[in-house]
Amino acid sequence: MPLALANDKSIAEAVALLRGGGCVGLPTETVYGLAADGLNVDAVSRIFEMKQRPTFDPLILHVPEGYDLSRICQPNETARRLIQKFWPGPLTVLLPKTELVPDLVTSGLRTVAVRCPSHPVAQKVLSGFGGPLAVPSANRFGRISPTTARAAQEELGEAAFILDAGSCAVGVESTIVNCVGAPSVLRQGGVALEEVRAVLGSDVGLGEESSPLPLVPGALKSHYAPATSLYRSRRVLAECGTLPDEYAYLFWQQLPKRLPKFYRRLTESGSAREAAARLFQFMRELDAMGVNGIICDPVPMENLGAAMNDRLHRASRGWADWDDSRFRLVAR
Ligand code: TXA
Ligand code: MG
């Protein structure tokens, strides 16, 4: 099936497919997702099949603006403050679930992740459908999230129905905040940690640090991985010597005097937002170049840089250390 340009007709078709228990690929402001009726176990199980995703990895319920949250979860003051500030937008809250939410959605956990996306196409599908949709990123398990409809199609196959609305503006997944007990950020994403702290206070921690178990399976150590091995450089690549052409390079901002054969540059202006919006697409493109490895510049930690570093770390095999005239690759 060709990609369907998102318009009133294709959106109506998507809603009809979802009502019939089918899956639909759709754009959100963060990444492309694979949607299905979040309260229908058969529909949700199709998501796990299409994504080849293990059922221990729970899904986020996406809701239309103005949805009565008490149907699916028990909102508290922490969540209300976040919702007021960041919805619709790239932030997911984790709250105790209600009976209505199938165990398959939450992998048997008593909490449910809930998000209200700001992308107008996602909102139109959600309000047309009139209830929560389970929407994981539209990649096969463990691979890079798609930020274009074509990348989603590469992941899901030709048979998938995918609404095409161009590239995603944010480019990294939503930030997940655990709102049960002392709030903590479980996955860094489209809303920066600093912004969450500005609303909830500076003591908001990072879930992974305080928890020995990966509460969010997306926090598994290897995730978001391209097929080509990716290594991170601690030194700015433009300041190393002549870069060998056997690798492809992901530059942050500065380009070396002699350009290597394969490269992408994340930002011309040094903007983390611009870089985040391009990161996954560039990883995909470099992955397709048939090189011996991808070597990536250091990414500044400010703002969305933290989420980018997190994804690069999980995607990486280790470090590429410049040693006079060549890289030494060190597994992590
Ligand atoms: O930006 C996004 O959030 C995208 C777009 C499509 O909306 N969706 C997305 O979904 O990233 P997914 O399924 O690829 O990642 C959801 C993450 C997973 O790491 C999952 O483990 C975690 O959320 N998660 C979901 N429910 C959870 C729960 N009850 N407890 C802990 N983690 C949960
Ligand atoms: Mg995902």
Side-chain angles (χ1 to χ4, degrees), residues 30 53 57-58 62 94 111 115 136-137 174 176 187 215-218:
T30 57
R53 174 162 167 148
D57 195 2
H62 290 50
L94 206 65
T111 53
R115 143 163 154 81
S137 51
S174 61
I176 303 181
R187 177 175 76 180
L215 255 177
V216 171

Side-chain angles (χ1 to χ4, degrees), residues 18 23-24 26 33-40 43-44 47-48 58-63 105 113 126 129 131-137:
L18 291 166
C23 294
V24 165
L26 50 72
L34 180 65
D37 182 344
L39 303 181
N40 172 341
V44 171
I47 289 183
F48 285 98
L59 305 173
I60 300 175
L61 287 184
H62 290 50
V63 296
V105 168
L126 282 162
F129 182 73
L133 293 171
V135 193
S137 51

